[in-house]
Amino acid sequence: MGMTILLGLFAIGIVIGMPVAIALGIAALAAFFVEGLPTLIAFQRIGSGISTFSLLAIPFFIFAGELMLHGGIANRLVQFATALVGSRRGGLGIVNVFSSMLFGGISGSAVADTSALGSILIPVMKKEGYRADYAVNVTVTSSIAGIMIPPSHNMILYAVAAGGGISISKLFMAGVVPGVIMCLLLGLATWLVAIKHGYPAEPFPGWRVVGKTAMRAIPGFFTAVIIVGGVLSGVFTVTESGAIGVAYALIITGFVYRELNWAGFIAAVKQSAKTTALVMLLVGCASAYGYMLAFYRVPDALAGMITSITDNPIMVLLLINVMLLIAGMIMDMAALILICTPIFLPLAVQFGMDPIQFGMVLMMNLGLGLCTPPVGSCLFVGCAIGGVKIEKAVMTIWPFYLAILTALLLTTYVPAVSLTLPNLVFGGS
C-alpha cells in the first residue's frame, strides 16, 4: 500500500502539472505517514540532501552561465565559429553545432545554450534562406553539448545522487569525448540535410579573419579553462573553481567585453537565484523520495524485473537506455538524475558498466529528453525563438535524433569512449 501511494501520488502530481519537487515531497511525506515513520525523518532527509559541499558549486556554475549569456561571450564564439567552419555547405548549421560545442563547454547548460545561440543564429539562418524547422532542430539538438562537455552542473548532481563516491573531476573528463563525438555526428547530419535541401555555403573570409575572431573569443572561452583546469589540477575544489569562474566571467563581460550592463547583471542574479532555489528544493525532496524507494526496495524489484526478462548484458543495457529515454520524455532532467541514479546505477554496475561510464549514458539519454516532446524544455525554447510549431519541428528532427542515438550507443557499448581520457589523466585501467 505504501509503495502504491509513493509511486501513485507522484505520478498523479506530474499528470496534473504539479512542480516535480512538490510532487516528490508530497508523495514521500504520504509514504512516511502510511508506514508510521516519524515525519521528522522526512524533513531530516530533505535537509541532509542539500547539505552537501559539492552542491555549492551549482549556484556558481549557474551564475557564471547567466553572466556569459548576458555579457557577449556567445556572440564572439559565434563569430569565431562562422569564420572557421561557415564556408561548408549549410555553413550556418555547422556553425550552430560548433558554437554549441564551444558555448556549452562554458555555460554547462543546454537551456542556456539554446537561449543564447538560438537568439543569435536562428533569425540569421531564416534570413539566409534556411527553413525555420531546420534552424530550430540544429540549435535544439546541439545544445546537449552543454550537458556533456565540462563543466556541467548536472554531473555534480549525478555524483551526489550516486552517493558521493564518484570523482567529479573524472566525470568532467569522461564527458569530453562522448560530447565531441555527438557534436561531430550532429555536424554530419546537419551537412547531409543541408545538401538535400540545397542550402548555401558561406564564403571563407580568410585565415586572418579567423585569427582575429579567435583572439576576441579566447578571453571568454578561458572561463571554462579556468573552471575545469582548476579542478583537474587539484588547485581548486569544484566549488572554488565555480566561484573563481564567476569572478572571471564578471571581469571579462564587464570590463573586457564591456557588454554586461547593470540591467543584465540584475537579470543574471535573479535567474540564477530562481534556478538555484528550484534545484536545491528538488534535491532535498528527491532525497526524501529516494529514502522511501530504498525502504520499499524498488531498485531491487526493478533489477529483478529486468533480469527476469533477460540476463544478456547487451540487452540489459539496451533496456536501461530505453527506460531512461522514455523517462526523459516526460520528466525534467535534474529530477530524473536524482531518481534514476540509485535505481539504475547498481544494475548497470552489476552487468559490467563502470559508474563513470553510466554517468555519461545517463547524461546523454536525459539530454535527448530535453529535445523531445512532451516536456523537452530545449525544444520549447527553440521553437519559441524560431516561431515554429513543435509538431512541425518534430516531423523533421529525426536525422538529428539518429545522430545522438548513434553517439549514445557508442558510449553505452564501447567503454573506451568515456573512460580513456579520465584514465589517461588520473590513472586507472
Side-chain angles (χ1 to χ4, degrees):
M1 175 63 72
M3 185 170 69
T4 301
I5 290 175
L6 179 73
L7 301 177
L9 281 179
F10 175 65
I12 291 171
I14 295 300
V15 169
I16 66 176
M18 186 181 293
V20 175
I22 303 301
L24 287 170
I26 290 175
L29 283 172
F32 269 88
F33 179 76
V34 168
E35 295 298 335
L37 298 172
T39 53
L40 177 62
I41 297 178
F43 291 103
Q44 287 177 337
R45 295 301 305 180
I46 292 173
S48 64
I50 60 177
S51 299
T52 304
F53 182 73
S54 297
L55 289 176
L56 288 175
I58 292 179
F60 289 123
F61 283 180
I62 292 171
F63 189 33
E66 289 294 328
L67 291 172
M68 295 172 218
L69 185 62
H70 293 87
I73 289 179
N75 280 311
R76 285 162 175 80
L77 291 175
V78 169
Q79 291 168 6
F80 168 57
T82 302
L84 185 63
V85 299
S87 58
R88 300 290 181 265
R89 171 72 68 179
L92 286 178
I94 298 173
V95 165
N96 202 324
V97 175
F98 190 60
S99 299
S100 289
M101 191 165 65
L102 295 176
F103 185 74
I106 300 174
S107 71
S109 169
V111 176
D113 188 342
T114 305
S115 301
L117 299 181
S119 299
I120 298 169
L121 285 169
I122 290 177
V124 173
M125 291 177 71
K126 290 169 65 177
K127 183 179 177 181
E128 293 297 322
Y130 293 80
R131 282 172 41 173
D133 57 331
Y134 174 82
V136 169
N137 291 340
V138 174
T139 303
V140 168
T141 52
S142 63
S143 68
I144 305 177
I147 298 167
M148 300 301 300
I149 298 176
S152 169
H153 63 264
N154 290 296
M155 291 184 185
I156 299 174
L157 285 179
Y158 170 68
V160 171
I166 298 178
S167 167
I168 295 174
S169 299
K170 287 187 176 182
L171 287 173
F172 280 0
M173 280 292 94
V176 173
V177 175
V180 170
I181 289 175
M182 183 184 69
C183 287
L184 290 175
L185 290 171
L186 283 170
L188 176 62
T190 299
W191 178 64
L192 292 174
V193 175
I195 290 177
K196 177 182 177 182
H197 292 287
Y199 291 140
E202 303 295 318
F204 182 63
W207 288 108
R208 184 176 180 181
V209 174
V210 172
K212 285 183 177 180
T213 56
M215 292 302 294
R216 296 191 192 106
I218 283 175
F221 187 72
F222 255 88
T223 309
V225 174
I226 288 173
I227 293 174
V228 178
V231 174
L232 298 181
S233 64
V235 176
F236 312 125
T237 65
V238 175
T239 302
E240 291 166 347
S241 289
I244 291 170
V246 167
Y248 180 79
L250 276 171
I251 293 171
I252 294 299
T253 57
F255 300 102
V256 177
Y257 291 161
R258 297 184 179 180
E259 290 195 21
L260 181 67
N261 54 29
W262 182 247
F265 176 77
I266 294 299
V269 170
K270 287 182 177 179
Q271 186 58 43
S272 300
K274 178 182 176 181
T275 304
T276 299
L278 290 173
V279 170
M280 292 304 174
L281 179 61
L282 184 59
V283 170
C285 292
S287 178
Y289 191 84
Y291 179 88
M292 293 310 296
L293 286 177
F295 180 86
Y296 292 123
R297 302 178 66 85
V298 171
D300 294 339
L302 185 61
M305 182 190 74
I306 292 176
T307 53
S308 68
I309 297 173
T310 178
D311 59 358
N312 184 311
I314 294 176
M315 294 305 299
V316 169
L317 295 179
L318 181 61
L319 283 173
I320 291 175
N321 273 310
V322 170
M323 291 180 179
L324 290 174
L325 282 171
I326 294 173
M329 294 172 66
I330 59 176
M331 275 187 66
D332 182 70
M333 181 174 186
L336 285 173
I337 292 173
L338 298 165
I339 295 172
C340 292
T341 297
I343 294 176
F344 290 108
L345 176 58
L347 181 61
V349 171
Q350 178 184 335
F351 281 86
M353 182 175 281
D354 188 277
I356 299 288
Q357 181 188 1
F358 177 74
M360 299 307 105
V361 171
L362 179 69
M363 294 296 126
M364 201 174 292
N365 269 299
L366 303 186
L368 182 55
L370 295 174
C371 308
T372 56
V375 294
S377 53
C378 288
L379 183 62
F380 289 160
V381 172
C383 287
I385 294 171
V388 178
K389 291 184 178 180
I390 291 175
E391 52 268 29
K392 182 179 180 181
V394 170
M395 287 179 63
T396 56
I397 203 173
W398 66 266
F400 306 97
Y401 284 165
L402 184 60
I404 298 172
L405 288 171
T406 303
L408 175 59
L409 290 175
L410 286 172
T411 306
T412 300
Y413 294 112
V414 184
V417 169
S418 55
L419 298 180
T420 298
L421 191 55
N423 287 339
L424 284 173
V425 175
F426 300 102
S429 57

